[in-house]
Amino acid sequence: MARPSFVSAATLEGIASLQPYDSAEGRGKAADFVYAALRRAIVECTLPPGAALNEPVVAERFGVSRSPVREAFRALAADGLLDIFAQRGTFVSRLQRESLNDALFVREAIECAAVRLAANAPLADRKALARIVERHRAALRLEDRDASLAADEDFHRTIVLLAGHASAWSVVLSARTRLERLRRLANKTIRGSEESVEFHDQIVQALVAGDADLAEKLLREHIRLVSGFIDRLAEIYPAYVA
């Protein structure tokens, strides 16, 4: 795995932004704190794809022993956010096209089936989706990226719930985790959220009308739109995408 030339400075800057762990503040288990802090830094690309992470350096920054850092590294690797190579080191994973496309496949299969069922949910529940769309628009107007992404996730989660398959959301959420950095970069660079919210609005209109065919068609197009972000972002951030 080649180490991009920007990694050293980016890694130092990213690690410097992390807040030390303070057990006196009741922040819970050290490994959980380290995991959450690193995960946020990775998905927000404060620690960019390809950045090398040194266990002792990270432990020193958090003010913890190496054991919770090692535990957090393993959990992040399971999430697909870190690559750990014996004798070579630990790196923030690059955006892998195959993994991204697999995640999109899972989302399309489950969510398109769910939206058809959601068209039969109580009308009041279908209409309530419009409030999530308005919350999404408000976040965009305020340029609140975190609130925008939260509203986006809430919209898709609610459709799965309206379909009557709440347990399926954990599978979708796992796929979304694989896509989260792509979505954040798209929102930051190519204003992907603006395109998404328009699709959401149209999907709500189709659901309120009880048109399952149109709702499915729109959602499928919406999810496949994310696929187009991969090539566009690969041009902008060639070191980030494998």
Side-chain angles (χ1 to χ4, degrees), residues 9-35:
T11 302
L12 290 175
E13 182 179 350
I15 291 175
S17 72
L18 300 171
Q19 296 300 311
Y21 172 70
D22 185 355
S23 59
E25 295 186 13
R27 291 178 173 174
K29 186 179 176 183
D32 293 338
F33 178 83
V34 173
Y35 166 83

Side-chain angles (χ1 to χ4, degrees), residues 18-23 30 33-34 55-66 68-69:
L18 300 171
Q19 296 300 311
Y21 172 70
D22 185 355
S23 59
F33 178 83
V34 173
E55 194 176 285
V57 171
V58 173
E60 181 180 2
R61 177 60 190 169
F62 281 115
V64 299
S65 69
R66 293 172 62 174
V69 173

Side-chain angles (χ1 to χ4, degrees), residues 6 12 27 38 57 68 70 78 85-86 90 97 101 115 117-118 121-122 124 126 129 152 154 179 197 203 215 230 233:
F6 66 82
L12 290 175
R27 291 178 173 174
L38 287 176
V57 171
R70 191 175 305 118
F85 301 100
T90 298
R97 291 174 186 268
N101 285 323
V115 81
L117 296 173
R126 284 178 273 151
L129 283 165
D152 181 277
D154 194 20
L179 295 163
V197 77
I203 290 166
I230 299 174
L233 288 171

Side-chain angles (χ1 to χ4, degrees), residues 31-193:
D32 293 338
F33 178 83
V34 173
Y35 166 83
L38 287 176
R39 186 186 185 284
R40 183 173 181 84
I42 291 170
V43 299
E44 293 182 351
C45 291
T46 305
L47 286 170
L53 293 181
N54 180 277
E55 194 176 285
V57 171
V58 173
E60 181 180 2
R61 177 60 190 169
F62 281 115
V64 299
S65 69
R66 293 172 62 174
S67 180
V69 173
R70 191 175 305 118
E71 186 176 335
F73 278 9
R74 285 197 294 265
L76 290 164
D79 289 342
L81 297 176
L82 286 185
D83 293 322
I84 301 175
F85 301 100
Q87 310 302 321
R88 294 175 58 191
T90 298
F91 302 84
V92 176
S93 65
R94 297 174 70 196
L95 300 172
Q96 301 289 334
R97 291 174 186 268
E98 183 177 359
S99 178
L100 295 172
N101 285 323
D102 284 349
L104 289 169
F105 175 82
V106 169
R107 285 195 57 194
E108 186 173 335
I110 295 177
E111 293 187 56
C112 287
V115 81
R116 294 194 64 85
L117 296 173
N120 297 315
L123 181 58
D125 293 340
R126 284 178 273 151
K127 286 184 174 180
L129 283 165
R131 291 197 292 272
I132 301 176
V133 174
E134 285 310 306
R135 177 154 48 90
H136 196 167
R137 288 191 191 281
L140 291 177
R141 286 195 295 270
L142 295 171
E143 298 185 352
D144 186 337
R145 198 182 317 163
D146 285 340
S148 167
L149 289 166
D152 181 277
E153 183 171 302
D154 194 20
F155 180 84
H156 289 273
R157 180 183 63 84
T158 301
I159 287 176
V160 175
L161 296 182
L162 292 181
H165 292 284
S167 61
W169 176 247
S170 62
V171 180
V172 176
L173 186 59
S174 176
R176 287 177 67 90
T177 295
R178 301 273 174 166
L179 295 163
E180 189 164 355
R181 288 184 295 167
L182 177 73
R183 291 167 55 236
R184 283 181 177 271
L185 286 169
N187 288 350
K188 177 182 178 180
T189 309
I190 56 181
R191 306 190 71 79
S193 233

Side-chain angles (χ1 to χ4, degrees), residues 218-236:
L218 289 167
L219 183 56
R220 195 177 303 278
E221 289 177 5
H222 172 41
I223 292 173
R224 290 183 177 179
L225 180 70
V226 179
S227 180
F229 293 162
I230 299 174
D231 289 335
R232 291 161 71 183
L233 288 171
E235 294 177 1
I236 300 169

